[in-house]
Amino acid sequence: LPGKCHSLKTNLESAYDASFDIPRIWDFYGLLLAPSLKDQLSLSNLYSVSGDLRENEVAHVWIGSILQVAKKLFTSDQIYQLWLLSKLNWQMFFPENTSVDEIEDFVTEFGLEFTLNLKSSPEKLSLQSAEIHLKDMLSSGSSNTEIIEWIETKLEHHLFTKEFIRLITKVVCNLFYSKSVKSEAESYMEDRISILKKYIDNNESYMLQALFALQLLDTELQHPPQKLAHLFFQIHDKDLILEKVFLDWENSKEEECGKGVAVKSIKQFLVWLKEPDNNSESE
């Protein structure tokens, strides 16, 4: 993520000059960046790279164009949640002396007036919006305490549901998959496992949902070689999932998507797990 932001910031340094030759350049940026709001960039990331555009007094057109395209990809409520989570306001993108009326006219012209009527009711935060924000917190290095406090405040009504357990497992373990060096992946899980332990809470039903989430994540990422097996050894060794639940998952018919490939990819782990004495140190 830092690399993407740096590249984008560098690219934007020439965007203002290019706009004189390419008047629709902001529309092109909208088409390019709006899809990234789903799972790659947050609105806060976009603000952080917009310094040159703000200096040249065109940042509001740029962000407006991105959100205008986002309206075709997300619901208005989802965009509202992203805007709310970012803690941004329109004045931050406009020149300093812009009046409130001018800002409201611009926002209305772009069809984004719902972002002006911000509410703070946490019960309306969707899990899809929460996933984006949690990914941002994890990738930016927020502490476990900060992440848990945010969850407890914003997702109180979702806690301990099947959907929430799958979500928190997916977002925490997604970064494990992104670590190409084995020791870095293990260190990451060592740091973040307490988040999963808090919400799985030794509950076998939640453990099973967590394994379904990992099965689906591995499928979504097109089954990177050895990653799921490595992760299963990690969560076993860290006492997140009981041995019995791994076997329940293997035999369950509840979630079939990607199940065959997932089971095949962790065959060595399952064989090891079923051995009479599997207390030796896992690889």
Side-chain angles (χ1 to χ4, degrees), residues 28-241:
F28 298 145
Y29 272 111
L31 292 169
L32 177 67
L33 295 175
S36 299
L37 293 175
K38 182 178 181 181
D39 56 10
Q40 297 179 45
L41 294 171
S42 68
L43 288 172
S44 297
N45 293 145
L46 294 181
Y47 177 76
S48 70
V49 301
S50 67
D52 191 74
L53 300 182
R54 282 180 272 129
E55 185 176 324
N56 287 293
E57 302 186 351
V58 292
H60 58 293
V61 180
W62 176 71
I63 195 66
S65 299
I66 294 170
L67 293 180
Q68 209 171 33
V69 175
K71 281 181 60 179
K72 301 175 183 178
L73 306 175
F74 308 93
T75 65
S76 293
D77 184 61
Q78 288 169 338
I79 299 173
Y80 160 77
Q81 298 292 351
L82 294 176
W83 187 259
L84 181 64
L85 289 170
S86 71
K87 298 182 180 179
L88 298 174
N89 62 71
W90 280 102
Q91 184 62 63
M92 297 167 71
F93 291 95
F94 276 84
E96 185 175 348
N97 296 324
T98 308
S99 70
V100 172
D101 288 342
E102 289 175 310
I103 293 174
E104 291 183 353
D105 287 345
F106 171 87
V107 173
T108 301
E109 180 184 348
F110 273 65
L112 302 169
E113 59 273 13
F114 55 87
T115 60
L116 295 171
N117 186 26
L118 297 184
K119 299 168 285 184
S120 59
S121 50
E123 67 274 12
K124 293 196 174 183
L125 184 63
S126 69
L127 284 176
Q128 184 175 8
S129 298
E131 179 178 348
I132 296 170
H133 189 71
L134 286 168
K135 282 182 177 179
D136 187 40
M137 293 186 76
L138 285 161
S139 62
S140 65
S142 297
S143 70
N144 291 350
T145 299
E146 290 171 329
I147 291 170
I148 289 170
E149 286 179 352
W150 186 88
I151 290 172
E152 300 288 322
T153 301
K154 300 293 186 180
L155 299 177
E156 181 181 6
H157 58 300
H158 288 299
L159 293 181
F160 305 110
T161 62
K162 163 184 168 179
E163 293 77 15
F164 170 76
I165 296 299
R166 290 194 180 198
L167 169 72
I168 193 62
T169 303
K170 176 185 177 183
V171 295
V172 169
C173 294
N174 186 65
L175 276 179
F176 176 90
Y177 271 79
S178 72
K179 307 293 183 183
S180 58
V181 179
K182 188 175 181 180
S183 60
E184 290 181 0
E186 292 175 358
S187 177
Y188 168 78
M189 283 307 295
E190 182 71 32
D191 290 341
R192 297 302 193 182
I193 197 72
S194 62
I195 299 175
L196 297 181
K197 284 186 173 182
K198 175 175 177 61
Y199 294 110
I200 291 176
D201 195 31
N202 292 316
N203 182 303
E204 291 187 17
S205 176
Y206 296 159
M207 292 179 188
L208 187 58
Q209 293 304 322
L211 293 180
F212 288 141
L214 296 182
Q215 169 192 326
L216 294 174
L217 175 62
D218 191 71
T219 301
E220 180 182 324
L221 298 176
Q222 300 183 333
H223 309 288
Q226 302 181 344
K227 276 293 189 179
L228 187 62
H230 185 199
L231 182 52
F232 270 38
F233 272 115
Q234 286 293 299
I235 60 178
H236 171 275
D237 292 349
K238 291 175 172 46
D239 299 318
L240 180 68
I241 307 292

